[in-house]
């Protein structure tokens, strides 16, 4: 029987003759706008009862970029921090991938502007759009590119979005959820650990679950129109996450030959922190094993997973040898998960 959607699976092996070492994440970084929007402010703006936003979503506050801040600004900031943490210079980067659905503007790619501002003159750069699942998809695209060029073996992957500009302030389904931010990782050859297994899937027949997100009105729409802004079917997306996340976790861990109980942390896209906590517990990750940043950042779309990774690195949870499972669900509908054995920070294989 043919199933709906397409799937892609991979395990952490390398096929390129020049890249015998495993691939891992060797540096992380974040960049967040300084403006904080609290749940009390959201409640007042929506004329909701005090505490409604936090009760409904689990979000206490989120970040909102001022008009003078561009998506590229955030992406560059996160990328620079990740390179610094990895001990990698921009000249050593061969590829830059930016996972985003809110480029400013769509042409040229955000990644091209990041390449220029970082001074990574030897890197080729492109954007990837898989909505909230974009960062996990970008990791799978990036992984086989690591080590292909022995002089420039590193790949910079950035997840970033300014989704507060793409939602209707009067829409209770979307506006309270979304914040702005950027997170980044550097992929490189490592001596031990690294990527172990990945599962990706898309079911385009569910494309109407989440649509829109253009910042100006579309041609033919009135200037005051909100029809171009992001809309989603929250109940259906919630049901999809409850159905797919436990299956995704089981599939990826089985591919890697480990038990769910052996995985130290789940870092899941923060669609709605309250929903994610329930889904995570259903999948076997209760309490501190579920790395949650949505309470203070909200749903940052493509930035959600890398922000969670960097937070877990900064607070000391992710350390050498930790098993971490990254998972995300995004418009499309697309979803994916990848299991990583965490490498030593800044670990890199010496050139032969």
């Amino acid at each position: 029987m043919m199933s709906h959607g397409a799937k892609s699976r991979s395990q952490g092996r390398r096929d390129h003759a020049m890249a015998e070492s495993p691939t891992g994440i060797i540096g992380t970084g974040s960049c967040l706008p300084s403006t904080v929007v609290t749940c009390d402010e959201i409640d007042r703006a929506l004329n909701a009862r005090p505490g409604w936003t936090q009760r409904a979503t689990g979000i206490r506050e989120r970040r909102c970029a001022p008009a003078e801040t561009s998506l590229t600004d955030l992406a560059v900031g996160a990328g620079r921090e990740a390179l610094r943490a990895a001990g990698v210079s921009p000249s050593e980067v061969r590829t830059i991938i930016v996972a985003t659905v809110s480029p400013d503007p769509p042409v040229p790619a955000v990644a091209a502007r990041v390449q220029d501002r970082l001074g990574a003159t030897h890197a080729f750069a492109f954007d990837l759009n898989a909505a909230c699942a974009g960062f996990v998809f970008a990791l799978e695209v990036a992984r086989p590119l690591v080590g292909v060029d022995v002089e420039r073996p590193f790949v910079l992957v950035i997840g970033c979005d300014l989704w507060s500009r793409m939602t209707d302030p009067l829409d209770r389904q979307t506006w309270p959820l979304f914040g702005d931010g950027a997170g980044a990782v550097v992929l490189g050859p490592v001596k031990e650990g690294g990527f172990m297994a990945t599962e990706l899937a898309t079911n385009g027949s569910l494309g109407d679950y989440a649509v829109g997100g253009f910042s100006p009105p579309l041609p033919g729409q009135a200037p005051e129109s909100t029809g171009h802004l992001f809309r989603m079917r929250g109940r259906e997306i919630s049901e999809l996450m409850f159905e797919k996340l436990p299956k995704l976790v089981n599939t990826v861990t089985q591919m890697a030959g480990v038990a769910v109980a052996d995985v130290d942390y789940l870092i899941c896209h923060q669609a709605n922190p309250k929903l994610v906590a329930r889904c995570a517990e259903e999948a076997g990750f209760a309490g501190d094993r579920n790395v949650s940043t949505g309470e203070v950042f909200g749903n940052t779309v493509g930035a959600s997973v890398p922000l969670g990774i960097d937070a877990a690195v900064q607070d000391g949870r992710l350390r050498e040898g930790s098993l971490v499972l990254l998972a995300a669900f995004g418009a499309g509908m697309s979803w994916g998960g990848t299991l990583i054995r965490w490498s030593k920070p800044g670990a890199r294989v010496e050139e032969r």
Side-chain angles (χ1 to χ4, degrees), residues 28 51 76 133 159 225 229 243:
T28 68
V76 168
S225 170
L229 295 173
E243 175 193 355

Side-chain angles (χ1 to χ4, degrees), residues 29-259:
S30 298
C31 187
L32 293 155
S34 58
T35 302
V36 176
V37 180
T38 67
C39 62
D40 292 337
E41 293 174 272
I42 296 171
D43 290 339
R44 288 194 294 270
L46 291 171
N47 197 26
R49 290 183 178 180
W52 176 82
T53 297
Q54 188 166 353
R55 286 194 302 272
T57 67
I59 296 172
R60 298 195 305 271
E61 61 186 42
R62 55 181 170 85
R63 302 298 181 93
C64 183
E68 63 272 15
T69 298
S70 70
L71 184 67
T72 302
D73 293 333
L74 299 181
V76 168
R80 186 172 287 126
E81 284 297 308
L83 290 171
R84 181 197 57 76
V88 171
S89 71
S91 64
E92 295 179 287
V93 175
R94 186 69 182 104
T95 311
I96 299 173
I97 305 174
V98 172
T100 186
V101 283
S102 53
D104 54 356
V107 179
V110 176
R113 296 193 288 273
V114 169
Q115 184 250 31
D116 175 53
R117 287 178 53 179
L118 288 178
T121 54
H122 299 290
F124 66 91
F126 60 94
D127 291 354
L128 183 151
N129 180 344
C132 299
F135 181 80
V136 173
F137 276 51
L139 290 178
E140 180 66 1
V141 172
R143 190 176 56 80
L145 298 174
V146 171
V148 172
D149 183 338
V150 292
E151 293 184 359
R152 301 176 184 89
F154 305 106
V155 178
L156 176 62
V157 181
I158 303 171
C160 55
D161 275 297
L162 293 179
W163 210 241
S164 67
R165 299 176 183 175
M166 307 296 180
T167 54
D168 181 357
L170 300 179
D171 182 7
R172 290 193 179 196
Q173 281 260 4
T174 59
W175 191 72
L177 291 172
F178 292 95
D180 304 329
V185 299
V186 176
L187 271 58
V190 295
K191 293 179 181 178
E192 296 178 345
F195 289 85
M196 298 175 66
T198 298
E199 167 86 344
L200 305 177
T202 297
N203 186 345
S205 70
L206 306 180
D208 62 348
Y209 278 20
V211 296
F214 298 92
S215 50
L218 296 172
Q221 291 184 331
E224 66 276 9
S225 170
T226 61
H228 60 289
L229 295 173
F230 181 69
R231 295 286 188 271
M232 69 179 186
R233 292 163 59 179
R235 177 173 296 178
E236 287 86 346
I237 293 173
S238 299
E239 291 172 353
L240 182 71
M241 286 188 64
F242 269 110
E243 175 193 355
K244 297 295 185 182
L245 182 60
K247 294 179 180 178
L248 182 65
V249 167
N250 287 330
T251 297
V252 174
T253 52
Q254 288 172 13
M255 289 170 62
V258 301

Side-chain angles (χ1 to χ4, degrees), residues 295-322:
E295 294 86 355
V296 290
F297 299 150
N299 181 340
T300 51
V301 193
S304 181
V305 171
L307 285 175
I309 296 172
D310 191 48
V313 169
Q314 297 303 323
D315 66 21
R317 276 180 285 183
L318 278 186
R319 41 184 89 175
E320 185 177 5
S322 296

